[in-house]
Amino acid sequence: MVNLKDPKLFINRELSWLRFNTRVLEEAQNRKNPLLERLKFIAIYGTNLDEFYMIRVAGLKELFKSRVIVTGPDKMSPLNQLKAIRNYLHKEKITVQNTFFEIVQSLEKEGLKLKKYDELDDKTKKEVDEYFYTNLYPVIIPIAVDATHPFPHLNNLSFALVIKLADLQNENEIKYGLVRIPRVLPRFIEIKSTYVPIESVVQKHIEDLFPGYKLISSAPFRVTRNADITIEEEEADDFMEILEEGLRLRRKGEIVRLEIGADVDQDLLNFLNSHIKVYKDDIYRFDMPLNMGSFWQIVSNKDFAHLLFEPYTPKILPPLDSKEPIFSIIESQDILLYHPYESFDPVVRFIEEASNDPDVLAIRMTLYRVGKDSPVVKALIEAAEAGKQVTAMVELKARFDEENNLIWAKALEDAGAHVIYGIPGFKVHAKIAQVIKKENGIIKQYSHIATGNYNPSTARIYTDVSYFTTRRDITDDATRFFHFLTGFSKKGKLNTLYMSPTQIKQKLLSLIDAETKKKSEGRIIAKMNSLVDPDIIVALYKASRAGVKIDLIVRGICCLRPKVKDISQNIRVISIVGKYLEHARIFYFKHSSPKIFISSADWMPRNLERRIELMTPIYEKELSEKLYEILNLQINDNVLARELQENGEYIRLDSKGRTPVNSQLVMEEYTNMLYTSNKKSSVSRAKKLARRLLKES
């Protein structure tokens, strides 16, 4: 009897994530990518790693302290996971630095330079000195640390210099201190396309900040704290106050990582760590500038835009390109958009037209990550102020967007909207909007359901699916869903849509089982961000053993181990990392009716069991064919795709002797063809031309 729950059949979640971030780093190493795009991938890599340490590593440390022995289906202990993570990252640090310095050297040939203060010519040094006294000296904070000056609190991700000084009157009298560099200051000082790390400038002027003392040594450093907020939800009226307190506590969480300049002397490091107490293997020494996420400042230089990917303008395709009211268009047909190739503007237009339409009675939406300058929320505020019934489910527990969501929630409340802050015990991660109109005495319902957030900014760089419909079975379920959010319900089930935590996992397992029963005729293609749920993985193993052919497109974490003889030999897993962040969740089951589903949920326990999510069947033939073509294109990608091996490693696919297929580039060409062909020919002919391109790829 084969044990499909054998720990050897599961890849560790954290190590799988690290390999995902390595794939991001590989894009920085890829010399076929433009130089600033390569630097951007290092920035993304660093930002990802910050969050990983703040949440995942911090969580493992808590489990270790609590003496938890085993976590996850792979049965790897928290201590062994921590050891593996540290070993992995210390080795990878060498690759990160080599890649960074190679990019910097290449950028210098293009006229964009990154130099320390000491590497500047005399004229530029004078300009930087003037900048220091005018812009930095009044703002930076010199801090003495001694018996009368306690070591200061360091906020999460705070950046500073640790220094050792000698009294000019008595060189044997050694002093220690810090210079804090506030976040309001730029990470790099830009002088005529030369970027100077701010710490190298401050370091040169330490003796101006501490008169009467001579600088012996200094080092830049950065701390990472446990940033996970655990909130015991109590009365709803207190929830915003509880969250605000949680955000304050985030700044005081245990320090879990120290990044410091590689040339720090041991005495200075000992002084610093005597106060912050970071475990030795969580100290990372870097020759390159700390805070990789700050490289966005350089990437954003518009004078060097030619060193980025050629910009793509999202297209508005028929029938949405007409001036006809969007509600009339949706009434005439279901519409499915694939962002960012197809513009997010119609989604914004959907809410803005609803806000201004006198026949609209109500607008209901879930808001998870909406961005800082959200036209969607502004339209909701205008609708509420105009007297329309506006209901907004603002998820205050959207990690690292909590403060922004608090601001929007208060603004909506002030405008008269009914704001819900969440469901006790669950995050609301579903993406759905509903508009209710009354025309000639008849109530009409319009729904928009998506795989991604109502955020126009991220919709230009995330691939996601948007679906507009007036199907009565779906719009009725949308109403039930919002009633569930605003009221009390023990049922928590829908009739056509599927909702977690009560329905999605059960439905997925039944869909996989139905394909399993078809044996070698079964077929599953599923695209998602992460695959972690052990019950789903076991079901996929059973399907593979029965002969079902399974293709999984999993961008990030994948705990399923493919290509294991007699277990998962029929399962292929690829990850696509490229210009756009693959964020859509699309599932195809050959013998289901309908065959295609879209969802806000990844196949993870948190999404399927601890969040409010939606999975939507796509009935309309043309729309389901469009989604199937997207899946089919991606499983044939041999440029951006890496394939997961049995040992947990990923390898690039070999396109030698085959036509290179970059699925993201093909989608740009596909959409461009639809757009340009429509100007000259019928919509149906344009679609045929574009789809031929997909099939040829």
Side-chain angles (χ1 to χ4, degrees), residues 591-626:
H591 294 92
S592 168
S593 181
K595 300 178 188 300
I596 294 267
F597 300 79
I598 62 171
S599 182
S600 59
D602 286 311
W603 291 0
M604 305 177 74
R606 71 175 190 189
N607 300 84
L608 302 177
E609 298 171 7
R610 300 190 297 275
R611 287 186 174 184
I612 308 296
E613 306 267 14
L614 285 173
M615 184 168 79
T616 305
I618 303 298
Y619 289 96
E620 211 275 327
K621 185 174 182 287
E622 189 171 357
L623 303 189
S624 64
E625 285 179 353
K626 176 177 179 177

Side-chain angles (χ1 to χ4, degrees), residues 58-74:
L60 286 171
K61 283 172 171 271
E62 292 294 325
L63 290 173
F64 174 67
K65 284 182 186 173
S66 303
R67 300 186 179 181
V68 173
I69 304 300
V70 172
T71 59
D74 59 285

Side-chain angles (χ1 to χ4, degrees), residues 544-597:
S544 170
R545 282 168 55 80
V548 179
K549 186 182 177 187
I550 302 168
D551 275 289
L552 302 174
I553 308 158
V554 186
R555 184 197 77 215
I557 303 164
C558 182
C559 296
L560 179 147
R561 198 178 292 278
K563 301 187 176 185
V564 178
K565 186 179 178 182
D566 298 329
I567 302 288
S568 54
Q569 69 272 25
N570 289 315
I571 304 177
R572 178 175 180 260
V573 180
I574 62 167
S575 170
I576 293 175
V577 178
K579 176 179 178 180
Y580 302 116
L581 182 79
E582 295 291 338
H583 193 255
R585 292 92 168 184
I586 309 168
F587 316 137
Y588 167 81
F589 300 92
K590 181 179 178 181
H591 294 92
S592 168
S593 181
K595 300 178 188 300
I596 294 267
F597 300 79

Side-chain angles (χ1 to χ4, degrees), residues 465-497:
V465 177
S466 272
Y467 174 54
F468 294 97
T469 187
T470 57
R471 281 183 63 103
R472 182 65 184 270
D473 51 356
I474 289 180
T475 57
D476 282 351
D477 262 0
T479 300
R480 290 187 191 95
F481 177 77
F482 282 105
H483 286 177
F484 169 73
L485 294 184
T486 58
F488 295 103
S489 173
K490 291 185 178 179
K491 185 182 178 187
K493 289 191 175 181
L494 306 173
N495 296 328
T496 301
L497 302 176

Side-chain angles (χ1 to χ4, degrees), residues 242-306:
I242 293 168
L243 183 68
E244 287 170 336
E245 177 61 23
L247 291 170
R248 285 191 288 272
L249 290 174
R250 174 178 280 172
R251 303 183 191 110
K252 300 178 182 178
E254 177 192 4
I255 295 178
V256 293
R257 179 182 61 164
L258 169 65
E259 298 166 283
I260 194 162
D263 57 354
V264 61
D265 73 47
Q266 193 59 45
D267 178 58
L268 201 53
L269 179 57
N270 291 343
F271 160 75
L272 179 61
N273 209 25
S274 69
H275 291 281
I276 64 176
K277 296 178 171 59
V278 176
Y279 181 65
K280 62 181 178 62
D281 289 340
D282 290 317
I283 299 173
Y284 295 83
R285 299 182 182 220
F286 283 94
D287 287 311
M288 64 189 282
L290 305 179
N291 185 9
M292 290 178 247
S294 65
F295 298 152
W296 280 99
Q297 182 187 345
I298 302 171
V299 171
S300 302
N301 189 324
K302 292 181 181 177
D303 292 336
F304 292 86
H306 59 285

